[in-house]
């Protein structure tokens, strides 16, 4: 396993830097927006803007990659994401933050498609589940670290915006200076949703439901935590625990999906996620310990689903079409998110 990961080290490092900066950015915006007095609708629309940009990124990234290649396209996504977070610092208003958040979503969709297609071309079916589990674990750990950084300073200043922009720029360096072989040129640049459905209808439905399920939590978790009275440290912890739990679950679930039918593994994870959601919604828990425990259970199940879905679909994908498969799943995830972006209910 280590031998198969070493050639991918630069790619994983670049992805980790990108997700670290994204973790800072995704948490500082709702926290700062709440402090600036943004309305609940405006905070909810930040998530909608992200989803719209994400879908647009899925549609346009294959064309960009076909024109300039994987490395240049990934670098461009990192640079634009840095510009977006700095714009959020310079112009603190929902009228700017919502479209800028859409720009960030575009960049993250493009970067995810590039990285995942690159990984798929470098691994085989026997180890794809474990490699994608490690890739997801690295990303979730980086996101958690980015969110926990907010406990070290004042969210009302400029530091965290500048930090995120710096790390976004840092993310483009590992792949830019690495000697790792780039993926083969694309054989197609169109997003073939019909072909994706024929390839794996289970994966298409599952990834859409993951987008619907995760959207509200990912966008409004920090706002919910603030409105039940948590301080900035507990808010960061509440947003980070599910991601950390999801990261810890990646390797065992990835190994299980390589040894068993990935569809059976996915059903098992889905049932556990349903249990966690039911307890969160109807359990009536109010203590900090109970809320954090349920958040951990939710993250350990839900964040482990996507790599299993992608691994299952790419087991049947033709060579040279991996970015279309990744793009289709990113598109489905973003569409699912846009279906469920609602502003939080005030206490």
């Amino acid at each position: 396993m280590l031998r198969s990961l070493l050639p991918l080290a630069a790619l994983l490092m670049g992805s980790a830097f990108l997700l670290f900066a994204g973790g800072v950015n995704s948490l500082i915006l709702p926290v700062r927006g709440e402090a600036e007095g943004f309305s609940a609708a405006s905070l909810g629309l930040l998530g909608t803007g992200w989803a719209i940009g994400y879908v647009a990124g899925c549609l346009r990234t294959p064309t960009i990659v076909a024109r300039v290649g994987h490395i240049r396209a990934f670098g461009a996504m990192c640079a634009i994401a840095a510009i977006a977070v700095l714009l959020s610092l310079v112009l603190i208003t929902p009228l700017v933050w919502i479209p800028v958040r859409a720009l960030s979503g575009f960049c993250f969709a493009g970067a995810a498609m590039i990285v995942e297609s690159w990984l798929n071309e470098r691994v085989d079916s026997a180890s794809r589940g474990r490699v994608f589990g490690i890739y997801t674990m690295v990303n979730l750990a980086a996101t958690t670290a980015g969110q926990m950084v907010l406990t070290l300073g004042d969210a009302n200043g400029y530091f965290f915006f500048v930090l995120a922009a710096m790390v976004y720029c840092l993310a483009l360096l590992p792949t830019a200076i690495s000697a790792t072989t780039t993926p083969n040129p694309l054989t197609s640049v169109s997003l073939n949703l019909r072909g994706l459905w024929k390839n794996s209808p289970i994966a298409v439905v599952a990834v859409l439901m993951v987008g619907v399920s995760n959207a509200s939590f990912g966008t409004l978790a920090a706002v919910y935590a603030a409105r039940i009275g948590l301080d900035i440290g507990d808010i960061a912890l509440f947003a980070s625990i599910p991601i950390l739990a999801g990261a810890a679950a990646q390797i065992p679930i990835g190994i299980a999906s390589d040894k068993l039918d990935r569809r059976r593994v996915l059903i098992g994870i889905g049932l556990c996620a349903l249990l966690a959601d039911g307890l969160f919604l109807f359990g009536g828990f109010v203590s900090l310990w109970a809320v954090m425990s349920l958040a951990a259970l939710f993250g350990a199940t839900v964040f482990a689903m996507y790599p299993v879905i992608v691994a299952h679909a790419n087991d049947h994908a033709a060579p040279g079409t991996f970015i279309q498969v990744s793009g289709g799943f990113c598109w489905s995830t973003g569409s699912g998110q846009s279906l469920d972006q609602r502003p939080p209910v005030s206490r």
Side-chain angles (χ1 to χ4, degrees):
M1 174 58 66
L2 181 61
R3 183 178 300 175
S4 63
L5 287 176
L6 285 177
L8 304 173
L11 190 60
L12 293 175
M13 188 180 301
S15 183
F17 285 139
L18 184 75
L19 269 293
F20 178 92
V24 177
N25 192 17
S26 66
L27 193 55
I28 190 63
L29 289 180
V31 172
R32 181 65 174 271
E34 182 80 3
E36 294 287 342
F38 288 8
S39 68
S42 296
L43 293 172
L45 285 172
L46 289 176
T48 302
W50 168 274
I52 292 172
Y54 205 91
V55 171
C58 296
L59 296 173
R60 296 301 303 167
T61 296
T63 302
I64 296 172
V65 173
R67 183 180 304 161
V68 302
H70 289 74
I71 292 178
R72 290 179 179 176
F74 184 79
M77 299 299 174
C78 296
I80 294 171
I83 294 170
V85 71
L86 290 176
L87 278 175
S88 299
L89 172 62
V90 174
L91 301 171
I92 303 178
T93 168
L95 295 178
V96 173
W97 279 24
I98 293 168
V100 163
R101 192 62 178 150
L103 187 61
S104 296
F106 181 96
C107 295
F108 265 76
M113 290 171 63
I114 293 167
V115 172
E116 290 178 14
S117 65
W118 204 331
L119 286 173
N120 272 304
E121 192 163 311
R122 293 290 175 266
V123 300
D124 54 26
S125 297
S127 60
R128 182 170 282 121
R130 279 167 285 185
V131 170
F132 263 84
I134 292 172
Y135 157 72
T136 306
M137 181 181 67
V138 168
N139 287 348
L140 293 178
T143 301
T144 303
Q147 292 178 336
M148 292 304 296
V149 164
L150 266 72
T151 63
L152 304 179
D154 183 7
N156 294 321
Y158 65 85
F159 173 77
F160 294 114
F161 291 89
V162 174
L163 175 65
M166 291 172 61
V167 181
Y168 275 135
C169 294
L170 187 61
L172 64 86
L173 295 181
T175 53
I177 64 177
S178 172
T180 303
T181 305
T182 60
N184 294 325
L186 301 182
T187 59
S188 172
V189 298
S190 62
L191 186 60
N192 185 0
L193 296 178
R194 179 177 296 180
L196 189 67
W197 175 265
K198 290 181 179 180
N199 180 57
S200 178
I202 291 176
V204 173
V205 173
V207 80
L208 181 63
M209 293 300 101
V210 166
V212 172
S213 175
N214 293 357
S216 293
F217 184 86
T219 302
L220 301 173
V223 178
Y224 166 79
R227 294 192 175 187
I228 64 173
L230 301 185
D231 59 27
I232 183 63
D234 289 335
I235 291 172
L237 189 62
F238 179 78
S240 300
I241 279 180
I243 302 173
L244 189 61
Q250 295 302 318
I251 293 181
I253 291 177
I255 292 173
S257 73
D258 283 337
K259 295 182 178 297
L260 306 173
D261 189 324
R262 299 195 207 276
R263 294 169 295 183
R264 294 180 181 272
V265 174
L266 187 60
I267 290 171
I269 300 171
L271 291 175
C272 292
L274 182 62
L275 173 63
D277 259 343
L279 291 173
F280 213 114
L281 290 173
F282 306 113
F285 301 104
V286 294
S287 72
L288 179 62
W289 181 88
V291 170
M292 295 296 184
S293 298
L294 285 178
L297 179 60
F298 176 82
T301 53
V302 171
F303 287 115
M305 298 180 76
Y306 183 76
V308 177
I309 295 169
V310 174
H312 170 69
N314 281 292
D315 285 343
H316 308 287
T321 64
F322 291 127
I323 197 167
Q324 280 72 43
V325 174
S326 295
F329 288 138
C330 289
W331 183 89
S332 298
T333 303
S335 299
Q337 290 174 344
S338 66
L339 293 174
D340 196 36
Q341 297 297 334
R342 297 182 297 270
V345 179
S346 301
R347 286 189 296 165

